[in-house]
Amino acid sequence: MPPRLIAFLIFPDFQLLDAAGPIAAFEIAERHAPGSYRVRVVAARAGAVASSSGARMNAEAADEADIDTLVVAGGDGTRPALLETSLIDWVRRAAGRARRTASVCSGAYILAQAGLLDGRGATTHWSRTADFRRRFPAVRLEPDRIYVRDGAVWSSAGITAGIDLALALIADDLGEAVARATAQQLVMPRRRPGGQSQFSALVDMGGASGRFADLLDWARARLVEPLGVERLADQAAMSPRNFARAFVREMGMTPAKAVEHLRVEAARARLETADDPVEQVAAAVGFGDAERMRRAVLRAFGQPPQALRRAARSTPAVGG
């Protein structure tokens, strides 16, 4: 079997790590399984393409020949790229011939513009959620996921999530052993300790500017108590209506979603480090019953509580 051709599509003002991170993952996987992959960087025109940082990456002229997996980078340049009809047409044609298609961060906009995400589940960077939904209402956006697979189309969240995506693609091709070895070489976990939710860091920071850090610390210490909008707004010394609006602007999610996230993270920590029954964990973190917790954990991490517990017991530490 010939090596699988992984083609990375870039354009002016692309995000450098969107391409470089996944490229490194496939390069390392090739070392562990020689003959598995061949990587090309392509663009609308051959030559050096400037990223948003100013650093340049050399690209070949885009063609559709022999592509196994098309990966579309994201970055500030996605907005003007959406207006390049010839580029969008090429993506549509290339995806039609490729075995699978993927996007990193706002590269999902390009897939959506090409009609490849209509009726499919997808994700992108959390900060683009409202804009993406407005532009592409036919896409079933899952903004709290690190990556989403829907058939032959994959999408991932912001920047470093492209490496998570690449590891998942490698596991799909070559198995978990090669994906794990690749992750170890990259000095990163095969699966993030926070599961598959991209909101982990955002909630930990208290939002884009940290405005709600103290409030979320307060809520984290009271997870077993009712934490509705009215109570959170009172603690923040704001009216419920103004609080809800400001919270969504800052956090990219509703207060209820943030509280659910805090409870899910607390549940995950208990599931992975203690032997408490699932029902007891659910009560201790404020879910009330095991089924409600199971649904929330499944939404956040893509697997049920018992699977999180088993994975934590079986996953070795990351090596160098």
Side-chain angles (χ1 to χ4, degrees), residues 239-257:
S239 72
R241 185 175 182 179
N242 287 338
F243 167 74
R245 289 178 174 175
F247 194 93
V248 170
R249 283 197 303 270
E250 176 76 10
M251 302 293 297
M253 71 187 89
T254 64
K257 187 68 176 179

Side-chain angles (χ1 to χ4, degrees), residues 15-98:
Q15 167 54 242
L16 187 63
L17 193 55
D18 283 2
I23 286 171
F26 284 108
E27 173 201 350
I28 293 167
E30 166 66 18
R31 292 185 214 163
H32 288 287
S36 296
Y37 294 119
R38 181 164 57 96
V39 173
R40 290 178 60 203
V41 179
V42 301
R45 288 165 289 280
V49 181
S51 69
S52 55
S53 69
R56 294 173 177 267
M57 183 175 283
N58 285 328
E60 303 173 34
D63 64 60
E64 303 134 47
D66 303 324
I67 294 176
D68 174 88
T69 303
L70 173 65
V71 182
V72 180
D76 292 340
T78 53
R79 294 187 185 278
L82 293 178
L83 303 178
E84 291 193 29
T85 303
S86 60
L87 180 68
I88 300 302
D89 288 344
W90 180 86
V91 169
R92 190 180 298 114
R93 292 194 306 271
R97 297 182 60 175

Side-chain angles (χ1 to χ4, degrees), residues 267-279:
R268 178 189 60 81
R270 284 176 176 260
L271 289 164
E272 293 181 350
T273 60
D275 294 319
D276 299 338
V278 171
E279 293 78 7

Side-chain angles (χ1 to χ4, degrees), residues 79 82 108-109 112 117-118 120-145 148 198-199 248 251-254 257 299:
R79 294 187 185 278
L82 293 178
Y109 278 72
L117 297 180
D118 287 355
R120 294 183 182 271
T123 193
T124 189
H125 193 282
W126 63 267
S127 66
R128 308 277 187 129
T129 298
D131 180 65
F132 190 95
R133 282 180 167 154
R134 179 181 60 79
R135 287 172 177 256
F136 305 109
V139 181
R140 292 187 288 103
L141 192 66
E142 301 180 44
D144 60 338
R145 301 293 296 279
V148 171
Q198 67 166 310
F199 289 151
V248 170
M251 302 293 297
M253 71 187 89
T254 64
K257 187 68 176 179
R299 280 194 297 272

